[in-house]
Amino acid sequence: MSEGLKRVFGIDLGTTYSAIAYVDEHGKSVVVPNQESERITPSVVLFDGDSVIVGNTAKESSKIEPHRVVSRIKQHMGDPNFVFEHDGQSYSPEDVSSFILRKVVGDAELALGEKITDAVVTCPAYFGAPEREATANAGRLAGLNVRAILNEPTAAAIAYGLEQGEDQTVLVYDLGGGTFDVTMIEIKDRLIRVVCTGGDHRLGGTLWDEAIVMHLAEQFREQTGEESDPLDDPEVLNDLFLQAERGKKTLTQRDKAPFRVTHAGKQARVELDRAKFEEVTRHLMDRTLELTREMLADARAKGDDRFDKIILVGGATRMPQVRDRLVAEFNLEPETFDPDEAVAKGAALFGLKESLQEGV
């Protein structure tokens, strides 16, 4: 990289997780791990006295201390009426998002030993002007020079190297922790255009976790005969959600995952196999396909009724049921490449390309 060229970082400011990436000297996009050595950071903020804690510690307290924890702030971006009150202070969605950005940027600065000033921050394709402006503002509050606000499906397409290839139409199926977005993009003469976008901003991997939690509570009651509901105890609920997320990840690799439910002095051991997991979450998977068909109907109305490939984005697309159902529905093998890092990596590649063009 030439001396005069400023390194531009790509930041995926996600509903449930955020990530930061840059392009190394070999032209490869690299995600920078946080101080906990994890490549993605929970987008959760805990107000603890005078300190603001972002990431895993905040996430682990979210069900126990809901009055001090803010999660899924992205769903309030651009809403002038939303404020989070803590200790007589009011925080806007931009303020909360700026804390998340400070955490990922600060950790990356420590890891790389350099100051980070310039960034491309991503947002969903459906964000309008107020949400985009709020996202840019969060970046400025975090001390960043925001070079661009880039659509997430466009960033993912860049990470997959699609704009380098032939002209084509691509379905971007993005199932994150908090949201589901499905977008049709057209690549023509190395330019990427969003044709149509759809989805559900409440439908994400967390609902798969919730389905596991409900199943565990039911199994606990069956095994122990206990009358009181384990889900009424915030600490038990918190523990079950953390177990559910871990178990869901285990089930992407293996056929079975073990769980333990402890409540009211009683304990139940539950083994969940992949078939049962897919059964208790089938309605969620069905909904993503229904939303995909709705988006395709909108695209058809605009004269685009076919696509050449499907790319998977978002950590929840690692679940085998996603691939299986998409193949059954469209008879097309989806492409997958670092699904939870693709957006940050694409944003970094976009940032490099823009700075090369500007020569600054």
Side-chain angles (χ1 to χ4, degrees):
M1 186 169 287
S2 68
E3 274 308 299
L5 206 58
K6 245 195 184 123
R7 187 178 266 171
V8 180
F9 285 73
I11 302 175
D12 173 5
L13 183 59
T15 308
T16 51
Y17 284 96
S18 294
I20 184 166
Y22 70 98
V23 181
D24 70 10
E25 60 278 16
H26 307 296
K28 188 173 185 295
S29 203
V30 181
V31 165
V32 190
N34 61 21
Q35 287 300 287
E36 294 79 40
S37 301
E38 289 179 342
R39 297 165 73 78
I40 53 175
T41 299
S43 304
V44 185
V45 180
L46 166 68
F47 292 90
D48 186 15
D50 291 337
S51 359
V52 176
I53 298 160
V54 177
N56 274 332
T57 307
K59 182 180 175 178
E60 281 167 13
S61 316
S62 64
K63 298 275 186 301
I64 302 167
E65 304 183 277
H67 55 291
R68 297 203 296 158
V69 175
V70 190
S71 46
R72 302 166 78 103
I73 193 63
K74 187 170 172 176
Q75 294 173 336
H76 301 287
M77 290 303 265
D79 176 357
N81 301 314
F82 180 89
V83 283
F84 182 79
E85 307 269 350
H86 177 72
D87 257 7
Q89 285 272 79
S90 292
Y91 299 94
S92 68
E94 291 99 306
D95 292 327
V96 177
S97 296
S98 76
F99 295 131
I100 299 165
L101 289 169
R102 278 191 198 129
K103 158 77 174 165
V104 296
V105 167
D107 283 8
E109 286 179 335
L110 286 169
L112 299 171
E114 68 176 83
K115 181 93 185 98
I116 294 173
T117 54
D118 289 41
V120 170
V121 183
T122 60
C123 76
Y126 65 84
F127 263 21
E131 295 95 329
R132 285 169 199 268
E133 188 46 46
T135 305
N137 203 26
R140 289 192 282 270
L141 288 169
L144 293 167
N145 172 25
V146 179
R147 302 281 285 262
I149 298 294
L150 182 65
N151 284 330
E152 288 158 0
T154 303
I158 294 169
Y160 276 77
L162 298 182
E163 93 288 15
Q164 305 297 330
E166 68 274 17
D167 290 358
Q168 56 188 314
T169 303
V170 179
L171 188 75
V172 183
Y173 177 103
D174 181 347
L175 185 60
T179 58
F180 171 65
D181 294 293
V182 61
T183 308
M184 189 187 263
I185 57 173
E186 183 183 64
I187 297 154
K188 210 172 192 167
D189 303 327
R190 301 201 162 198
L191 291 174
I192 299 172
R193 179 178 75 91
V194 171
V195 176
C196 223
T197 191
D200 179 342
H201 319 322
R202 304 273 165 201
L203 175 65
T206 315
L207 293 183
W208 271 256
D209 301 346
E210 196 176 275
I212 293 178
V213 169
M214 307 298 267
H215 177 69
L216 294 176
E218 191 186 298
Q219 292 297 303
F220 171 84
R221 285 191 295 270
E222 269 181 31
Q223 283 185 33
T224 62
E226 172 61 41
E227 296 284 305
S228 70
D229 189 342
L231 304 184
D232 290 340
D233 180 329
E235 296 210 2
V236 175
L237 185 65
N238 204 55
D239 174 60
L240 290 181
F241 264 97
L242 296 171
Q243 280 194 61
E245 192 177 0
R246 279 197 300 271
K248 177 181 69 180
K249 288 174 180 168
T250 302
L251 288 167
T252 65
Q253 312 287 333
R254 303 170 62 180
D255 286 335
K256 292 189 170 86
F259 297 88
R260 179 178 297 175
V261 190
T262 307
H263 169 65
K266 295 175 181 170
Q267 193 175 80
R269 287 169 183 274
V270 180
E271 191 175 66
L272 182 62
D273 64 26
R274 191 185 287 171
K276 184 68 183 170
F277 170 54
E278 291 182 357
E279 183 191 313
V280 300
T281 56
R282 181 164 292 125
H283 62 292
L284 299 169
M285 199 56 225
D286 287 347
R287 182 79 183 120
T288 73
L289 290 169
E290 198 178 299
L291 290 160
T292 301
R293 287 192 286 268
E294 281 174 22
M295 186 277 296
L296 289 171
D298 290 347
R300 200 169 299 125
K302 294 182 176 185
D304 278 286
D305 65 346
R306 45 169 295 282
F307 52 90
D308 305 295
K309 63 174 63 157
I310 303 172
I311 65 170
L312 300 181
V313 182
T317 60
R318 293 182 191 278
M319 297 184 292
Q321 55 178 281
V322 173
R323 181 217 157 262
D324 296 346
R325 292 291 299 277
L326 286 170
V327 170
E329 180 78 18
F330 299 113
N331 200 20
L332 198 57
E333 185 68 49
E335 293 185 16
T336 183
F337 165 69
D338 297 336
D340 35 19
E341 299 176 8
V343 170
K345 286 179 170 177
L349 288 161
F350 178 87
L352 173 64
K353 195 170 72 178
E354 292 291 288
S355 58
L356 284 170
Q357 281 169 358
E358 292 165 17
V360 293

